[in-house]
Amino acid sequence: VVAALGRMQRAPTTRVDSALAREIAVREGIKAFVDGDVTGVAGGYIVSIRFVRADSGVEMASFRETGDGPRGLIDAADKLARALRSKAGESLRDVNATPPLSQATTSSLDALRKFSEAARLNSLGHGGEGIQFAREAVAIDSTFASAWSLLGALLSNTNRPRSAIDSALAQAFRWRERVSALEREGITARYYALGPGRDRAKAAAAYVAIISKTDSGTAATNLAEMLRSMRNFGEAEALNLAAAKRNPTSAIPLGNTMEMQINLGKFKEAEAASAQLARLNSGYGMSRRTFLNYARGDFAAVQQVADSLRKAKQP
């Protein structure tokens, strides 16, 4: 709870009422929370609890008990706890699975939702579609450093103007002191890797620092990009493979793995990676499969893809 309050830019001693509990639950991917009241009456207490769905705020169950004196209060709480445990399992089975939100520092839940959607699209290889969501996130919270950083990465990945990339990453760097230490290291690394800092050694050092503290597939993928730029394709391949295992729903490390394997002439391995990639993102998988076919001299297959794309664009 304290860590979540920090990312919400609130004091760690903030009182957690029902509204704040719900926001924390939504941010942390918790499906439901418990709220309640204790009311003193003549000779005893009335205790009530409510079991609330985090995503909608809908009350899934409520219970009420009375107790006489301090011992009665404890007995009432015990009865309510048993009733709640019994009902919770039944109720939570009906809660639809929703994509978890990213853990990033912003006071705005709406901005965090936009940021999380941009990150999700990027992980699937749809970075271009994520740009608008990242822009909306920083429009809501102009000090949202991680959203500015993600926007810069998305712009870079989709070959947008250098001035726009530098502007976004400079904004992220400007607001980096407002975020957690781990977020700050990621922002710093990206600033030096893709932004106006332009220092591969500093970027690589920042990514290594992140990997040493956490099992971050994203940091491993980004460090691999630093090694790729230095033509160290073997280590870049190993890092991307590790990142793909850590983030099995992310298409980016698999796509990068294929590119490194093609550079190394490991066509059989790239063929296997392309099948995995196609299951996550068919278009991304086809594009990398085309690169593979070209690299191994299967020009007929490349021509077939080109012809099908040309026909698809004809009116």
Side-chain angles (χ1 to χ4, degrees), residues 270-293:
E271 181 85 29
S274 74
Q276 290 180 264
L277 182 58
R279 287 193 289 270
L280 292 173
N281 183 324
S282 58
Y284 193 11
M286 183 184 71
S287 72
R288 292 303 175 269
R289 182 65 175 265
T290 303
F291 289 171
L292 172 60
N293 288 334

Side-chain angles (χ1 to χ4, degrees), residues 55-75:
D55 57 358
S56 63
V58 171
E59 186 178 286
M60 293 188 287
S62 63
F63 307 93
R64 179 175 173 169
E65 288 284 346
T66 59
D68 296 328
R71 180 67 242 178
L73 176 61
I74 294 172
D75 290 341

